[in-house]
Amino acid sequence: MGNGMGTVVLLLLLFVYFLQVGGGLGLEQGHQTERISGSAGDVLEDDPVGRLKVFVYELPSKYNKKILQKDPRCLTHMFAAEIFMHRFLLSSPVRTLNPEEADWFYTPVYTTCDLTPNGLPLPFKSPRMMRSAIQLISSNWPYWNRTEGADHFFVVPHDFGACFHYQEEKAIERGILHMLKRATLVQTFGQRNHVCLKEGSITIPPYAPPQKMQAHLIPPDTPRSIFVYFRGLFYDVGNDPEGGYYARGARASVWENFKDNPLFDISTEHPTTYYEDMQRAVFCLCPLGWAPWSPRLVEGVIFGCIPVIIADDIVLPFADAIPWEEIGVFVAEKDVPKLDTILTSIAPEVILRKQRLLANPSMKQAMLFPQPAQAGDAFHQILNGLARKLPHDKSIYLKPGQKVLNWTAGPVGDLKPW
């Protein structure tokens, strides 16, 4: 917990200080907000309509709707962006029914909707399913073959995106599904210099249910009486019995160093007041788990709790539009034992500015997939990202009969019919 009684007393005094000024720190909508200066704010408020046209392939329902009918839990889990993006595009003004005028082509495949009884997605059939869908569009329409997917985008919101495995070592071994090597991938996974994030991908927030979060809002002037908040696993004994792999040891380090520290409200218990508690906290820990991202990032922004991002080399959602450096705190995984010192050293005026930025409604809107869609939401940020890639370079178009992709690359199991 620190070095000696002096540190303990200092931390307790700081805790009392935050209890007293908590009301001042709990700035939310309706309170003072701050607009992001410069290009980031302008980008966040861009309107993509009129800047791109998207053709949505009509696939047999076995690739999407039937899978969802079999397991409606897919509508509420953190990977649901693939379903809601499909629904959004079907009625979006950027949709074109004329593929000849399309800038982008979208293939609606629900690859994360094969769930275990516990609700975790099994990605083992996903590569076969994706291959099958690509074979279908490439044989029924001429557009895939013109570019081998370079003007196509796919939503792949799994732990490690189109590497389609939830264990990092296996995901790295698999690599991105070869048939997607030229496509633009829209994915929650983002880590610099990683085989599962290809250049040009659009990193998005995980899905968090907007109505559910709305239902748990508390009065915006509620004091932020919790200094540091976290609920979740510290160890994953089932999948990492010896420890060290899960969260690269960062979560275990949080628990071992701060479980008895009064500034840290941390536990594996997940209370019914979880969302309310985040609105009473100054800092919310967002450590990596098996993957670097988690819904806590979204929850922190929505509830005005400064995200403390502990995931080396993470690529954050819509990083060209959301100024993460200004709204969050980044702590290197190796520095977790110094978390108390790092966070108590942040000046109150810096905390207040981060909270004013977090209170900006456009910041919150960009992290959500609401039904129906709203201006500036995550759907529109994805479209903005696609629009910024236009016009396509002429080099993406192949000569007649030219092939770049190897359709039989990858594990033999992936080649079985789906």
Side-chain angles (χ1 to χ4, degrees):
M1 170 173 158
N3 302 320
M5 277 306 292
T7 309
V8 176
V9 171
L10 173 65
L11 293 177
L12 285 168
L13 283 170
L14 274 159
F15 186 52
V16 171
Y17 167 73
F18 275 101
L19 276 169
Q20 290 170 338
V21 300
L25 291 174
L27 298 172
E28 290 287 335
Q29 286 138 311
H31 280 56
Q32 191 181 1
T33 68
E34 188 167 324
R35 191 178 179 283
I36 315 112
S37 58
S39 61
D42 302 331
V43 169
L44 203 57
E45 288 156 27
D46 274 353
D47 182 1
V49 176
R51 295 170 57 220
L52 76 165
K53 290 185 172 164
V54 177
F55 179 75
V56 179
Y57 286 114
E58 286 198 34
L59 300 185
S61 61
K62 69 172 186 172
Y63 291 99
N64 40 61
K65 292 185 190 120
K66 275 210 173 123
I67 298 172
L68 178 57
Q69 280 166 3
K70 202 175 89 180
D71 199 336
R73 291 179 300 168
C74 298
L75 282 169
T76 53
H77 72 170
M78 67 180 97
F79 309 98
E82 62 184 358
I83 298 167
F84 291 113
M85 191 67 192
H86 181 202
R87 292 182 177 181
F88 162 72
L89 283 170
L90 289 176
S91 57
S92 168
V94 305
R95 183 186 182 192
T96 177
L97 299 176
N98 175 9
E100 290 299 330
E101 66 172 25
D103 301 296
W104 288 100
F105 295 82
Y106 165 68
T107 310
V109 189
Y110 300 169
T111 57
T112 63
C113 193
D114 182 13
L115 304 185
T116 65
N118 292 339
L120 299 170
L122 290 168
F124 308 122
K125 293 179 193 162
S126 307
R128 286 162 49 206
M129 187 180 174
M130 190 65 91
R131 280 180 61 86
S132 170
I134 293 171
Q135 280 165 335
L136 183 78
I137 62 171
S138 66
S139 53
N140 287 7
W141 287 273
Y143 307 104
W144 174 273
N145 299 320
R146 292 190 314 193
T147 65
E148 287 203 313
D151 53 359
H152 288 54
F153 70 92
F154 294 81
V155 181
V156 282
H158 203 270
D159 285 355
F160 290 96
C163 287
F164 294 125
H165 207 288
Y166 55 85
Q167 288 177 320
E168 186 171 19
E169 282 178 40
K170 299 268 174 62
I172 290 170
E173 200 179 296
R174 288 188 55 87
I176 290 170
L177 186 68
H178 200 79
M179 294 169 80
L180 296 175
K181 288 278 170 92
R182 287 171 63 82
T184 289
L185 301 179
V186 176
Q187 59 185 63
T188 38
F189 173 74
Q191 186 174 316
R192 284 185 288 278
N193 308 315
H194 197 287
V195 298
C196 300
L197 179 69
K198 73 196 246 339
E199 199 180 339
S201 298
I202 296 173
T203 312
I204 63 170
Y207 177 79
Q211 292 85 351
K212 188 178 167 191
M213 292 198 287
Q214 189 73 31
H216 288 266
L217 286 175
I218 61 176
D221 54 359
T222 304
R224 289 193 178 264
S225 53
I226 300 165
F227 190 59
V228 180
Y229 187 73
F230 176 78
R231 290 293 181 274
L233 291 179
F234 298 100
Y235 308 90
D236 186 343
V237 180
N239 295 302
D240 180 24
E242 290 172 30
Y245 279 108
Y246 180 61
R248 297 197 280 258
R251 291 194 185 202
S253 180
V254 168
W255 179 249
E256 284 153 19
N257 284 284
F258 304 111
K259 61 178 183 284
D260 299 321
N261 187 319
L263 289 180
F264 283 68
D265 187 344
I266 59 175
S267 165
T268 53
E269 302 295 316
H270 209 286
T272 52
T273 55
Y274 175 67
Y275 284 157
E276 288 83 353
D277 293 346
M278 287 187 107
Q279 293 167 81
R280 294 188 183 98
V282 178
F283 294 107
C284 287
L285 300 185
C286 301
L288 73 162
W290 282 112
W293 59 272
S294 84
R296 290 179 191 85
L297 273 175
V298 178
E299 294 158 353
V301 172
I302 297 304
F303 294 131
C305 185
I306 297 167
V308 179
I309 297 155
I310 307 166
D312 295 354
D313 293 324
I314 190 171
V315 175
L316 289 155
F318 308 134
D320 54 352
I322 293 177
W324 289 101
E325 296 283 347
E326 293 182 53
I327 62 173
V329 175
F330 289 79
V331 175
E333 291 164 28
K334 68 174 174 52
D335 291 337
V336 166
K338 297 186 276 192
L339 251 181
D340 52 352
T341 313
I342 291 167
L343 297 178
T344 54
S345 303
I346 300 172
E349 61 269 22
V350 174
I351 291 173
L352 285 164
R353 179 161 192 274
K354 289 181 187 296
Q355 290 179 325
R356 285 197 300 273
L357 286 169
L358 282 171
N360 185 329
S362 65
M363 197 81 71
K364 300 176 190 299
Q365 188 78 321
M367 300 297 282
L368 293 175
F369 294 91
Q371 308 299 307
Q374 297 163 12
D377 64 13
F379 299 116
H380 289 84
Q381 301 306 330
I382 293 170
L383 294 182
N384 280 335
L386 292 167
R388 286 195 283 276
K389 292 176 176 294
L390 297 174
H392 293 297
D393 193 280
K394 289 188 172 58
S395 65
I396 71 165
Y397 297 98
L398 304 176
K399 296 184 182 78
Q402 184 187 358
K403 293 263 183 258
V404 178
L405 299 177
N406 176 359
W407 285 57
T408 57
V412 179
D414 289 1
L415 306 181
K416 289 185 205 157
W418 178 70

